[in-house]
Amino acid sequence: YTDGKPTQGGFASSMVVDQKFVVKIPEGMDPEQAAPLLCAGVTVYSPLSHFGLKQSGLRGGILGLGGVGHMGVKIAKAMGHHVTVISSSDKKREEALDHLGADEYLVSSDATKMQEKADTLDYIIDTVPVFHPLEPYLSLLKLDGKLILMGVINTPLQFLTPMVMLGRKTITGSFVGSITEIGEMLEFCKEKGLTSMIEVIKMDYVNKAIERLEKNDVRYRFVVDVAGSKLDQ
């Protein structure tokens, strides 16, 4: 706020903002679909665009299949990439392959399969928000491959320098995106018919939704229908 105290977030049916921070929602795009794209959608689109990874034919990995990861699969596939989902268990194999359209599913604890896929990926989008070793994933990258960090982790990550040096690999990061990229991403998603997997809720369910978020019990985004909640009545 203007007195220096932090805002705590909230919900409103309307708000006043500087026009520099406004983007146009493409005609025909449902508002409940636009909302998660403004976060998870551009978070994935931005590094693919910035690092020159938009051309078709690339082989990419999506590490972690959550809110950002599932949009990573959809956007990368729409760009014409061969997409491998990398996860710590087999639990999301069916969802990744059958529902999201990934080409392959790789369990990171399967040493044999990980070895077979060494030096095969042009990039990996790493969405894991907790401490994890980087070496297993660096080994999957081709020459000049990029490991793009997106998980917010408050402990230092470690890697052996030869893992980067011997393949001239890059460890980099990206966080959300610019207003320009948000506009491009919305038009891209409209053109390709991309949607996020969401659960629309009313305001009277918000507290329960927060509880479910803490338990990681949402696939993959809650969207609050403020107008439909009829708060002014």
Side-chain angles (χ1 to χ4, degrees):
Y1 292 112
T2 55
D3 61 2
K5 294 180 180 179
T7 60
Q8 300 298 324
F11 304 94
S13 57
S14 62
M15 63 186 297
V16 178
V17 297
D18 190 303
Q19 64 180 7
K20 293 186 297 184
F21 305 110
V22 174
V23 293
K24 186 178 187 304
I25 304 301
E27 188 175 343
M29 177 177 284
D30 295 332
E32 63 268 30
Q33 279 299 331
L37 294 179
L38 297 176
C39 179
V42 72
T43 298
V44 173
Y45 182 90
S46 177
L48 291 175
S49 176
H50 178 77
F51 294 116
L53 299 169
K54 289 171 67 175
Q55 69 268 32
S56 63
L58 296 179
R59 301 179 72 89
I62 305 295
L63 176 55
L65 195 61
V68 174
H70 95 284
M71 283 309 304
V73 175
K74 290 191 170 195
I75 288 176
K77 283 295 297 179
M79 289 179 175
H81 298 180
H82 180 282
V83 178
T84 299
V85 169
I86 310 164
S87 188
S88 59
S89 73
D90 238 354
K91 289 190 299 183
K92 296 182 179 180
R93 180 182 294 272
E94 180 180 350
E95 187 160 353
L97 299 177
D98 298 341
H99 301 303
L100 297 175
D103 299 286
E104 296 187 53
Y105 190 91
L106 185 58
V107 179
S108 57
S109 58
D110 188 335
T112 301
K113 290 292 186 182
M114 290 287 284
Q115 179 61 38
E116 289 176 3
K117 297 301 180 182
D119 305 314
T120 62
L121 301 179
D122 294 292
Y123 66 87
I124 295 174
I125 291 178
D126 181 350
T127 71
V128 176
V130 296
F131 177 85
H132 57 287
L134 298 185
E135 277 93 346
Y137 311 109
L138 289 168
S139 68
L140 297 174
L141 294 172
K142 296 179 182 178
L143 177 69
D144 292 328
K146 292 178 174 60
L147 177 62
I148 305 168
L149 302 177
M150 290 188 174
V152 178
I153 303 171
N154 60 7
T155 54
L157 298 180
Q158 298 175 328
F159 61 93
L160 300 174
T161 56
M163 295 295 297
V164 175
M165 296 162 57
L166 295 177
R168 202 167 59 196
K169 299 170 184 178
T170 300
I171 299 175
T172 187
S174 184
F175 189 69
V176 197
S178 69
I179 290 293
T180 299
E181 288 171 329
I182 292 174
E184 291 177 1
M185 175 275 305
L186 288 173
E187 291 296 340
F188 178 83
C189 289
K190 174 67 189 324
E191 176 189 343
K192 300 294 185 179
L194 301 184
T195 58
S196 178
M197 293 175 66
I198 62 174
E199 185 174 334
V200 179
I201 63 171
K202 297 291 197 294
M203 282 297 298
D204 59 6
Y205 192 78
V206 165
N207 289 339
K208 180 66 175 178
I210 296 297
E211 293 175 6
R212 286 179 54 193
L213 277 175
E214 293 173 345
K215 298 175 183 176
N216 198 27
D217 178 27
V218 55
R219 293 290 181 270
Y220 283 101
R221 284 286 190 267
F222 284 123
V223 176
V224 182
D225 180 6
V226 176
S229 299
K230 305 188 187 313
L231 299 178
D232 55 348
Q233 295 185 1

